[in-house]
Amino acid sequence: MASAFPKLPGFVPTQEIDVTLTSQYYQKPNFRKVSSTKQEQNREVNHLANKEYPVPRKQPIQIPPQSGMFNPDYMSTTHAMHLPKVKQQNYTNPVGSKWIDMFYEFSGYFKEAVVESALENYRIRKITLFYYLEDHSLSITEPKQENSGVPQGAFLKRQKVLRADDSKTFILPEDFRINRDIIIFGKTIRLFDCDQYTREFYELQGIPQEPSFVPQSDSFETKTMTKFIPQKDTVMKDYLEHKLGGGKVTSQKQFLENDRKVLKFYVFSDIEYILHYYLADDTIEIKEINSANSGRVPFPMMLRRQKLPRKFSLNQPGQTYAEDFIRPQDIQYGQPLIIYNRKFLINGCDQFTRQYYFDKFNVDFPLGGQEEYVQQERSNIIIPPHNGIGDEQDSLGYIYRLQPIPPKKDFFKWVDNQVNLRFLAMFNTTKPEDKDRVFVITFFLNDDSLLVYEPTVRNSGIPDGKFLEKRKYKNVNNNNEFFTPGDLIVGNEVQINGWRFQLLDCDEFTKKWYSENFK
């Protein structure tokens, strides 16, 4: 008769309860566990001889390779045991004795109730059971699962287990049957698989095992353990990389073959525009044709450079797939091109575009269209003389541009000519207070600048230090050109910034440099 009571200790009416008489009128149920020492004293099966079973075959010994050793009859020295190599022999003893340590492997599962969880009501816990024929003991391990929430690993240590039928006998190999239950310490375990060696053992006993089956899955395994494989959105990744200023061309071959190749079309919407199609990455830009006195505010771009979709839709960034972009074959003469719900009529192209369409698509694309407005050249600008304040190259920037750009320096000249030429000079004057003053003129070959320095002279009354700051100076004796090493010759007179110097001598490095470069 089926009972509607939950199968919990103390709630099963048909459960046999061992009671202890505590008084004359009261009986208390006894659910206490019996100690292992008392169980060993009450068991008589420990003194019985173990039953011997015929084993199918002996598992071969895994011998490491011996090819690298000088003596092939011994094992490798990298192993812990240095025993002679054992020749594989046929196993002739059909009966397993007590000293043979053999075990059989079964796979099983049991259901465990889960309370206070909205994800699952029960958990199916899969275990691996090992049965040792040597002493009829068994051990149980549970494979570890990630984020399972329960301790896993060694489920039951190796020991003998009594049967659940109160026969006071241990579990024997006959009790393990696939697709049947076995009770171990109150756990009802359903066996669903075993290894090949175990099947051979049972076939030799005349009781073959049933075929294996796959146990059912629980909510935890289907929802939690199933790994989510994310789908890579390459279009979104490319969009974000280009938005941050990076990104790569989809096809390197396309980029290398079509770099700097641009198709030019003349289109019309409300006014004339120029459409550029870049073959390197299939991008399009639309420029306005600005002319003088047109009455329109000059604006450089009607549409910035980007890939143009065939259909305009308000999708999320990156949801437009590559095959939906406009290609050169979509641009035809006389046909309107829809760009973000705006019609542009194709009126013509340039010579390069015409030749491209003829070679690629065998289409004669007509020439024509309004060219870009070419700004007239400015009249000759009168450059005023330099006032001597600051660098002349910096001052010229304010003449050509409202917002000047710093002048570019010759980087390779600056790197390759880290050489300084030093000269000893004096004032070429008749003033008694200046005719004995000595100066050191340094010429920097990396940027053709000059520096004039006056050494210290004690009790001269003249402050020493920098006389002329480092910058480029013009030689008034050479058509106001900047000083070069050819203008600084020992014995000549030079005029620097209005001061006349007589070059007296130079150092040894300067002499060597002049001898190698001025012959």
Side-chain angles (χ1 to χ4, degrees):
M1 178 178 179
S3 175
F5 288 91
K7 293 184 177 182
L8 297 175
F11 291 90
V12 182
T14 59
Q15 181 181 0
E16 296 182 1
I17 301 177
D18 184 16
V19 297
T20 302
L21 295 178
T22 57
S23 65
Q24 184 177 2
Y25 304 102
Y26 176 72
Q27 294 181 347
K28 180 180 179 182
N30 183 12
F31 291 105
R32 292 176 296 180
K33 292 182 179 180
V34 182
S35 64
S36 60
T37 305
K38 188 174 182 180
Q39 288 182 0
E40 291 292 337
Q41 295 175 357
N42 297 334
R43 291 174 187 168
E44 297 179 357
V45 293
N46 290 335
H47 306 284
L48 300 179
N50 291 333
K51 182 180 178 181
E52 296 185 351
Y53 297 90
V55 294
R57 57 185 171 86
K58 185 177 180 180
Q59 296 181 356
I61 301 176
Q62 299 294 334
I63 302 175
Q66 308 293 321
S67 58
M69 299 299 299
F70 294 101
N71 186 1
D73 293 333
Y74 284 82
M75 298 179 66
S76 173
T77 56
T78 58
H79 296 80
M81 299 178 63
H82 307 280
L83 301 177
K85 184 173 65 174
V86 180
K87 303 296 183 180
Q88 186 173 0
Q89 301 176 358
N90 296 329
Y91 186 69
T92 58
N93 185 9
V95 180
S97 59
K98 192 173 181 179
W99 54 269
I100 298 179
D101 190 5
M102 292 185 178
F103 64 90
Y104 304 100
E105 180 179 351
F106 292 90
S107 298
Y109 69 92
F110 66 92
K111 289 185 178 180
E112 184 180 44
V114 178
V115 296
E116 298 182 357
S117 175
L119 180 63
E120 54 185 345
N121 296 325
Y122 63 90
R123 177 80 59 87
I124 294 180
R125 300 180 63 175
K126 298 178 182 180
I127 60 175
T128 303
L129 191 147
F130 299 95
Y131 186 83
Y132 299 89
L133 197 61
E134 177 187 6
D135 54 355
H136 298 288
S137 61
L138 59 89
S139 63
I140 301 176
T141 60
E142 183 179 6
K144 293 185 178 181
Q145 292 178 328
E146 186 178 1
N147 299 326
S148 63
V150 294
Q152 295 174 328
F155 191 82
L156 178 66
K157 293 183 179 181
R158 179 176 175 178
Q159 57 184 288
K160 291 183 179 181
V161 179
L162 293 176
R163 291 175 176 175
D165 55 358
D166 295 334
S167 61
K168 296 185 179 181
T169 58
F170 294 125
I171 294 178
L172 297 177
E174 292 82 2
D175 299 328
F176 296 94
R177 305 294 296 168
I178 293 180
N179 203 11
R180 294 185 183 179
D181 295 337
I182 181 172
I183 301 176
I184 300 177
F185 290 126
K187 296 287 186 181
T188 303
I189 301 174
R190 174 64 63 91
L191 303 179
F192 64 88
D193 193 11
C194 65
D195 59 354
Q196 183 61 30
Y197 186 78
T198 304
R199 288 186 178 275
E200 295 178 4
F201 170 77
Y202 279 92
E203 290 176 0
L204 192 60
Q205 310 303 322
I207 45 176
Q209 294 285 352
E210 296 184 9
S212 304
F213 66 93
V214 179
Q216 61 179 348
S217 301
D218 54 1
S219 301
F220 175 79
E221 185 175 359
T222 55
K223 296 182 180 179
T224 308
M225 298 302 297
T226 303
K227 293 185 178 180
F228 173 73
I229 302 177
Q231 299 293 334
K232 294 184 179 180
D233 192 351
T234 56
V235 180
M236 172 63 80
K237 179 182 177 182
D238 184 71
Y239 167 78
L240 296 176
E241 289 180 351
H242 280 82
K243 188 175 181 181
L244 296 175
K248 296 181 180 179
V249 181
T250 305
S251 175
Q252 295 295 334
K253 180 180 179 181
Q254 177 186 0
F255 174 77
L256 296 175
E257 291 180 353
N258 300 306
D259 187 24
R260 301 185 181 181
K261 294 182 181 180
V262 183
L263 304 181
K264 185 177 182 180
F265 301 93
Y266 302 98
V267 298
F268 177 83
S269 179
D270 52 349
I271 59 173
E272 297 286 342
Y273 296 97
I274 293 179
L275 187 146
H276 289 157
Y277 187 97
Y278 294 87
L279 296 174
D281 54 356
D282 297 326
T283 54
I284 290 177
E285 70 176 8
I286 301 177
K287 298 178 61 177
E288 291 188 3
I289 301 178
N290 299 318
S291 59
N293 302 323
S294 63
R296 300 176 64 90
V297 178
F299 199 78
M301 286 293 176
M302 173 65 180
L303 179 68
R304 64 179 178 86
R305 181 177 175 180
Q306 58 184 284
K307 286 190 175 183
L308 189 62
R310 291 191 179 95
K311 295 182 180 180
F312 173 69
S313 59
L314 296 176
N315 295 333
Q316 294 294 329
Q319 288 187 354
T320 303
Y321 297 97
E323 58 268 15
D324 294 335
F325 295 138
I326 290 180
R327 295 291 185 265
Q329 56 268 24
D330 300 329
I331 304 177
Q332 301 178 7
Y333 174 73
Q335 298 294 331
L337 185 64
I338 307 300
I339 301 177
Y340 294 115
N341 291 341
R342 184 170 182 175
K343 292 185 179 180
F344 288 83
L345 185 64
I346 309 298
N347 294 331
C349 64
D350 61 349
Q351 183 61 35
F352 173 78
T353 306
R354 182 180 184 182
Q355 188 66 31
Y356 176 82
Y357 269 81
F358 184 79
D359 298 338
K360 189 76 173 178
F361 308 107
N362 197 17
V363 175
D364 188 9
F365 213 108
L367 301 175
Q370 181 181 354
E371 292 289 344
E372 296 183 68
Y373 173 74
V374 180
Q375 189 177 3
Q376 297 181 357
E377 295 183 359
R378 298 179 181 179
S379 59
N380 295 332
I381 301 176
I382 300 176
I383 301 176
H386 184 53
N387 57 6
I389 301 176
D391 191 3
E392 185 176 0
Q393 297 295 331
D394 292 337
S395 301
L396 288 175
Y398 288 93
I399 297 176
Y400 297 108
R401 296 179 61 92
L402 183 61
Q403 294 181 354
I405 300 176
K408 294 184 179 179
K409 296 183 180 181
D410 191 347
F411 176 77
F412 296 99
K413 180 180 179 180
W414 184 83
V415 172
D416 298 337
N417 296 281
Q418 295 290 335
V419 177
N420 302 331
L421 306 179
R422 294 179 177 84
F423 301 88
L424 183 65
M426 295 182 63
F427 270 141
N428 191 1
T429 180
T430 57
K431 293 182 179 180
E433 62 273 12
D434 292 336
K435 63 179 181 179
D436 294 331
R437 296 175 65 180
V438 180
F439 299 90
V440 176
I441 301 176
T442 304
F443 184 84
F444 299 88
L445 290 176
N446 54 5
D447 58 353
D448 296 336
S449 59
L450 282 171
L451 172 65
V452 181
Y453 179 83
E454 185 174 5
T456 303
V457 179
R458 297 183 62 183
N459 300 326
S460 63
I462 300 175
D464 56 348
K466 182 171 62 175
F467 185 77
L468 291 178
E469 64 178 354
K470 178 187 174 182
R471 66 181 181 88
K472 299 176 71 173
Y473 294 94
K474 289 186 175 182
N475 188 2
V476 295
N477 299 327
N478 190 14
N479 298 326
N480 283 333
E481 298 290 338
F482 290 109
F483 273 100
T484 61
D487 300 331
L488 303 175
I489 304 298
V490 176
N492 293 348
E493 179 185 337
V494 294
Q495 185 174 351
I496 305 174
N497 202 26
W499 299 91
R500 295 181 178 274
F501 295 93
Q502 184 70 31
L503 301 181
L504 303 178
D505 197 4
C506 61
D507 58 3
E508 293 296 331
F509 177 80
T510 305
K511 293 178 181 179
K512 182 179 179 180
W513 188 88
Y514 270 92
S515 63
E516 294 176 355
N517 296 274
F518 289 88
K519 295 182 181 179

